[in-house]
Amino acid sequence: MGEPTEIHAADAERAERGARDGSDPGTDHTARTPGGATRVAQTPTAALRGRLREQRRTPRRPRLLFELALIGISYWLYSLVRNAVPEQAAIAQKHSSWVWDLEHTLGIAVERSINHGVNSVTWLIVGMNYYYATLHFIITIGVLVWLYRSHPGRYAATRTVLFITTGIALVGFYFFPLAPPRLMTDGGFIDTVKVHDTWGSMASGAGAHVSNQFAAMPSMHIGWSMWCGLTIFFLARRTWVRVLGLAYPLVTLSVIVSTANHFWLDAVGGEICLLVGFLAARVIYHNWVYRLPRRPDDPAEQALTVPVSWDTKVSA
């Protein structure tokens, strides 16, 4: 018994349309991978989530040239923005007086005594001046290189912590200009760079006119040194290296106070920025940065946590 003419006509029309479009009528819009598994068409958002999920499961370090360019451009932008903040001297002096009074209230205002005491030991304070001017660059870059070479699976996430921390600091520089202790009008602190004619500081001497001298809150010497110290402590294998990692931010704290470049509370601000950086990276990578796998090609280190809502497995 024949089928109605209308049905044959509709089938013929579908077949003709399928031939024109290069598709087979009657099949769904799926594709098969070389292994034979069905791959369902995804929206751009789902595809992005899939790529991010895959990167978390098999994290890989960025290409070297890309990373060098990223770090160079990021530091250039950091310096540009930091130094472009208006140097509001009156407001910065007011803020420094407020911080100094608060520290007196808290009973921790001992920076001036430390500054004068260490300044009396010439070799020590001169060494601290050079330490302050140079070491935060050398150590930070060294830790980045070590991470890139020895911990490729953790590099991008740990570097992200540093970038976020620094970005938050720029907000602090803009909205809370603060005169460092050595520049307080009636603070009685000693500017050790000027007194000992030490080379290297952009905050005193000949370089002062090209640097924002009121970008003291938060202290990135502390933020960066603590980032380095924690990274070394959690990832280094030798005990003495881990101890040095923990000692580094403590020595840096003594240096920034002795040279009158920061208050104690500036250091607290730097630590808060770093904490936010770690928490932000935890949200991005869904794991603490030091718990990510060391190398992406190690099967024993692939057990990363991925949110259930991001699991796009399709049942057969």
Side-chain angles (χ1 to χ4, degrees), residues 100 103-104 108-119 181-182 184-190 257-260 262-264:
W100 190 228
E103 288 195 352
H104 275 91
I108 60 174
V110 296
E111 293 95 325
R112 184 165 55 200
S113 298
I114 295 174
N115 172 236
H116 283 257
V118 177
N119 184 70
R182 61 185 178 76
M184 285 183 66
T185 304
D186 300 316
F189 290 89
I190 299 173
V257 172
S258 299
T259 57
H262 290 283
F263 296 103
W264 295 122

Side-chain angles (χ1 to χ4, degrees), residues 100-307:
W100 190 228
D101 290 343
L102 177 60
E103 288 195 352
H104 275 91
T105 301
L106 297 174
I108 60 174
V110 296
E111 293 95 325
R112 184 165 55 200
S113 298
I114 295 174
N115 172 236
H116 283 257
V118 177
N119 184 70
S120 63
V121 185
T122 302
W123 66 267
L124 180 58
I125 195 63
V126 168
M128 286 187 170
N129 285 341
Y130 286 123
Y131 180 113
Y132 183 86
T134 61
L135 214 60
H136 64 296
F137 292 114
I138 297 172
I139 299 297
T140 304
I141 293 174
V143 171
L144 283 170
V145 172
W146 171 62
L147 276 173
Y148 189 87
R149 289 172 56 88
S150 301
H151 298 267
R154 296 165 179 149
Y155 172 81
T158 311
R159 179 255 288 145
T160 299
V161 174
L162 185 65
F163 279 20
I164 294 175
T165 300
T166 306
I168 297 172
L170 290 176
V171 177
F173 297 156
Y174 187 88
F175 288 102
F176 196 80
L178 178 71
R182 61 185 178 76
L183 293 183
M184 285 183 66
T185 304
D186 300 316
F189 290 89
I190 299 173
D191 189 337
T192 60
V193 171
K194 284 186 176 181
V195 169
H196 297 279
D197 193 25
T198 307
W199 171 87
S201 176
M202 292 296 290
S204 295
H209 68 283
V210 296
S211 177
N212 179 11
Q213 300 187 73
F214 301 138
M217 171 64 86
S219 169
M220 280 297 92
H221 274 74
I222 290 299
W224 292 0
S225 66
M226 183 59 76
W227 175 86
C228 292
L230 291 175
T231 301
I232 293 171
F233 175 76
F234 282 110
L235 301 184
R237 296 183 182 275
R238 294 180 176 86
T239 301
W240 66 270
V241 176
R242 299 175 68 189
V243 172
L244 286 179
L246 288 183
Y248 175 51
L250 295 177
V251 175
T252 300
L253 178 62
S254 67
V255 167
I256 67 173
V257 172
S258 299
T259 57
N261 278 287
H262 290 283
F263 296 103
W264 295 122
L265 291 181
D266 298 343
V268 174
E271 299 289 10
I272 292 174
C273 291
L274 182 63
L275 175 61
V276 175
F278 275 112
L279 292 175
R282 175 67 175 82
V283 171
I284 295 171
Y285 290 90
H286 298 280
N287 207 339
W288 297 109
V289 295
Y290 301 130
R291 296 184 62 186
L292 291 169
R294 181 185 180 192
R295 295 186 180 276
D297 54 353
D298 188 348
E301 295 186 334
Q302 298 303 315
L304 299 185
T305 302
V306 178

